[in-house]
Amino acid sequence: MKLTDADHVRCAIFMFHDDARIWWQGARSAVDMTTLTWNGFKDVFYGKYFTISTRTRLSREFLELCQGSMSIAEYVKKFERGRYFVPMISGNAAEELKHFTEGLNATIRRDVRLSGAQMYQAAVDEAMLSEKDGNDIIKESQAKRASYYVVAHIQD
């Protein structure tokens, strides 16, 4: 959607509820709504809900983010939430892709790189496929082991 700054601000305000709505009732008296830009609005909002120390902590967490024992879906969720606090990455498609793939587990990272994914969403899709393939292999192996176990006990 092509929205003006004023439209962005109005849409965000419309979504406020509970504490955020109450906070905004007081905060709007301190800003000039006729000249408030989207970036200006974000500064006011982040000033209230994301202090500098919180933004610094969230940036650090994002920069150190690794998949570890998370599923790809969990990793993608944390990645997409965190990238907004590191504009040098979220504003650059190549850096975003690089950071995403570097945080993946080695096996999945290798599969994504072998696929030649050039964009973040393609890398996410490839990572999901790689994880699914790995899970399918594990299930198949477990099913075979279980069938061997049953056959061995029947023969005894």
Side-chain angles (χ1 to χ4, degrees):
M1 291 175 47
K2 300 242 184 216
L3 299 175
T4 65
D5 274 2
D7 291 336
H8 277 285
V9 172
R10 281 194 294 277
C11 286
I13 293 167
F14 177 77
M15 298 301 294
F16 285 161
H17 57 90
D18 300 332
D19 289 342
R21 184 170 295 281
I22 292 167
W23 162 77
W24 178 248
Q25 296 302 319
R28 74 175 176 195
S29 63
V31 297
D32 180 1
M33 291 297 292
T34 61
T35 61
L36 184 61
T37 64
W38 176 240
N39 285 332
F41 174 80
K42 288 192 301 185
D43 289 343
V44 173
F45 180 78
Y46 287 163
K48 169 63 178 175
Y49 286 99
F50 296 99
T51 62
I52 291 173
S53 62
T54 301
R55 284 182 270 175
T56 302
R57 180 181 52 79
L58 292 170
S59 295
R60 190 176 323 108
E61 286 174 11
F62 176 76
L63 292 171
E64 296 171 358
L65 181 63
C66 289
Q67 181 187 0
S69 62
M70 289 184 272
S71 69
I72 293 296
E74 293 167 324
Y75 175 65
V76 168
K77 184 177 179 180
K78 285 190 176 208
F79 184 88
E80 289 180 350
R81 283 186 177 169
R83 70 181 172 188
Y84 293 105
F85 296 99
V86 186
M88 67 185 180
I89 290 177
S90 65
N92 182 318
E95 282 297 314
E96 189 173 87
L97 175 63
K98 178 181 168 212
H99 188 73
F100 175 77
T101 56
E102 286 177 352
L104 291 169
N105 289 338
T107 304
I108 295 174
R109 182 180 330 119
R110 183 201 60 203
D111 290 346
V112 170
R113 286 192 176 146
L114 288 175
S115 76
Q118 298 293 311
M119 297 182 61
Y120 168 72
Q121 191 56 51
V124 169
D125 294 343
E126 287 296 324
M128 292 279 201
L129 284 173
S130 177
E131 180 181 60
K132 182 184 178 312
D133 289 347
N135 289 341
D136 289 348
I137 290 168
I138 290 169
K139 286 178 188 174
E140 189 176 307
S141 172
Q142 289 172 341
K144 282 182 183 178
R145 237 180 283 144
S147 68
Y148 293 142
Y149 178 77
V150 170
V151 169
H153 277 31
I154 291 173
Q155 291 175 350
D156 289 342

